[in-house]
Amino acid sequence: MTPRVLNFGAGPSALPESVLRRAGEGLLDFQDTGIGIAEISHRSKEFKTYLQGVESDIKKLLKVPDSHAILFTQGGGSAQFSAVVLNMLARHHELYPALEPGQRVMDYIITGSWSDKAAKEARRLGGGTVNVVVDSRKFSAQGKFDNIPGHKNDTYKFSRSPVLIYYCANETVDGVEFAREEGNETSFPFHLLPEHAPLVGDYSSSFMSHPIPRLQDHAIIYAGVQKNLGPAGLTVLIVRKDCIVDVDKAARNGAIPVPLCTAYRTLAEHQSLYNTPPVLSIYITGLVLRKMVQDFGEDALEKYAALSANKSAKVYDALKRGEQIGIFKSKVRDDSGSQMNVVFDVVGEGKLDQFITGAEALNMKGLRGHRSVGGVRVSLYNAVTEDQVQTLVDYMTKFSEGKSVP
């Protein structure tokens, strides 16, 4: 068998090898049923029980309160750009049926490529207006997504009573992230939110790598699992129950009709089984969750948060040493760097290709930056081990010092 690579790709990302081996067994025989997980009916009692276990583990690990429902769907974060708008507009129509579209305002905090796309989708769908609370490009000398704006000087301009307030916790392409410690100048500005703010958090690329700050204060949290938790295909939603509304009634009152499979009420009423869910992705996600609980208990996310901080600190230290030598250049402001996706340039004609080629010769893959920004992107998801990170750091150090590399 070909040796497994050190996978630093941005997603679909590395998964624990023990989970992959267990999943291989499940493809042939799911829980002693004599039928593989890719073949079994999603309405079988065995799969329904398994799905309930996945939900239970997410609830335990994230400390999800009873005020919120956990739902499973498909389409990734990009589908939620639409679903969030449609469901929250329906809710707003239920609360304020007499308002005109121009009086329904959706607030977007734009800090990178994904939040920018989310805001553009809200504008495209209509039904309300989009207020850009802040755009981090205005705080960049190069006009780029290279920072998380601070809290001072009235930077964040929230609407008084918005339909929703959207933010992306970690921008996978641009390598910026809201600081995870509340009170930090680049943490999410919870203290500036209007009262009863319907907060929507896109946690796709940091989901299950750390506890979610003030989870109970969110209307919706969503995440594709293909970074820290499983293979592509499954999206996890954590929706406050008052945001699960009768979208058909809202449409009769003038809201944009919501397709059945994107309506949160459809998912909730059918226990996420209105149509066939991504069975295999759910299965592997469940195996990862079980491993997290078995390895570290119900407080596993505290452990993963510490590991995440340690891994990223090692890479940023190597990056800073390379910057001092003049071979590396960070793409983001020092106080805004992501713990999940470290992005930087390699300085000099042909040096980037040389760096990537050398890394691949040492069996490290997935390091080339997103096509829209170039450079290097090091993704440090949960399944990337500290030993693998050290291998990369050693390579970065040798490369920056001009020592012989493959």
Side-chain angles (χ1 to χ4, degrees), residues 175-250:
V176 296
E177 181 178 19
F178 284 97
R180 298 180 181 182
E181 305 78 24
E182 281 199 59
N184 189 302
E185 182 63 16
T186 57
S187 63
F188 188 82
F190 291 103
H191 62 293
L192 299 178
L193 292 172
E195 191 176 6
H196 307 304
L199 189 59
V200 177
D202 179 344
Y203 272 81
S204 286
S205 52
S206 59
F207 192 62
M208 287 296 176
S209 69
H210 66 98
I212 294 177
R214 301 202 194 187
L215 183 150
Q216 72 279 4
D217 294 338
H218 288 73
I220 301 168
I221 289 167
Y222 67 80
V225 302
Q226 68 273 14
K227 311 295 185 180
N228 289 299
L229 205 54
L234 174 64
T235 308
V236 178
L237 307 174
I238 302 172
V239 184
R240 201 173 64 218
K241 291 175 182 177
D242 68 285
C243 297
I244 300 172
V245 300
D246 186 340
V247 296
D248 293 332
K249 178 181 176 182

Side-chain angles (χ1 to χ4, degrees), residues 16-287:
E17 186 170 343
S18 61
V19 166
L20 293 174
R21 293 186 183 280
R22 179 80 180 274
E25 296 172 2
L27 279 170
L28 289 173
D29 184 1
F30 172 62
Q31 297 188 337
D32 298 322
T33 59
I35 188 170
I37 184 61
E39 307 164 291
I40 199 167
S41 169
H42 61 289
R43 303 199 187 280
S44 65
K45 64 179 182 180
E46 292 87 357
F47 182 76
K48 285 183 178 180
T49 300
Y50 189 86
L51 183 62
Q52 291 166 0
V54 174
E55 178 181 339
S56 176
D57 282 343
I58 291 173
K59 184 169 186 173
K60 285 186 292 189
L61 287 167
L62 278 173
K63 313 291 193 290
V64 179
D66 290 339
S67 55
H68 289 63
I70 297 171
L71 308 173
F72 302 102
T73 187
Q74 304 176 52
S78 295
Q80 290 308 304
F81 293 166
S82 309
V84 160
V85 169
L86 296 175
N87 282 274
M88 293 303 281
L89 279 172
R91 175 180 182 265
H92 207 253
H93 273 268
E94 186 175 88
L95 294 173
Y96 311 105
L99 293 182
E100 296 296 325
Q103 296 174 292
R104 304 184 192 278
V105 182
M106 296 170 280
D107 279 6
Y108 279 78
I109 297 170
I110 299 179
T111 53
S113 301
W114 291 115
S115 49
D116 190 37
K117 287 183 177 182
K120 288 176 178 175
E121 176 64 358
R123 287 195 191 96
R124 189 188 72 83
L125 289 172
T129 62
V130 171
N131 168 52
V132 176
V133 174
V134 66
D135 187 326
S136 67
R137 288 172 291 194
K138 295 181 179 179
F139 299 88
S140 167
Q142 291 78 37
K144 295 181 177 180
F145 292 125
D146 59 10
N147 70 93
I148 297 293
H151 303 163
K152 298 176 182 177
N153 303 320
D154 196 29
T155 300
Y156 289 81
K157 301 184 186 303
F158 292 103
S159 303
R160 289 185 61 186
S161 184
V163 175
L164 62 92
I165 299 172
Y166 167 96
Y167 73 102
C168 182
N170 179 75
E171 292 279 2
T172 321
V173 171
D174 305 284
V176 296
E177 181 178 19
F178 284 97
R180 298 180 181 182
E181 305 78 24
E182 281 199 59
N184 189 302
E185 182 63 16
T186 57
S187 63
F188 188 82
F190 291 103
H191 62 293
L192 299 178
L193 292 172
E195 191 176 6
H196 307 304
L199 189 59
V200 177
D202 179 344
Y203 272 81
S204 286
S205 52
S206 59
F207 192 62
M208 287 296 176
S209 69
H210 66 98
I212 294 177
R214 301 202 194 187
L215 183 150
Q216 72 279 4
D217 294 338
H218 288 73
I220 301 168
I221 289 167
Y222 67 80
V225 302
Q226 68 273 14
K227 311 295 185 180
N228 289 299
L229 205 54
L234 174 64
T235 308
V236 178
L237 307 174
I238 302 172
V239 184
R240 201 173 64 218
K241 291 175 182 177
D242 68 285
C243 297
I244 300 172
V245 300
D246 186 340
V247 296
D248 293 332
K249 178 181 176 182
R252 289 193 294 271
N253 289 330
I256 300 172
V258 183
L260 271 177
C261 289
T262 57
Y264 297 153
R265 186 172 180 177
T266 303
L267 295 172
E269 288 184 343
H270 294 84
Q271 295 76 51
S272 301
L273 293 171
Y274 176 77
N275 64 332
T276 307
V279 173
L280 181 60
S281 184
I282 289 170
Y283 175 58
I284 297 177
T285 295
L287 295 180

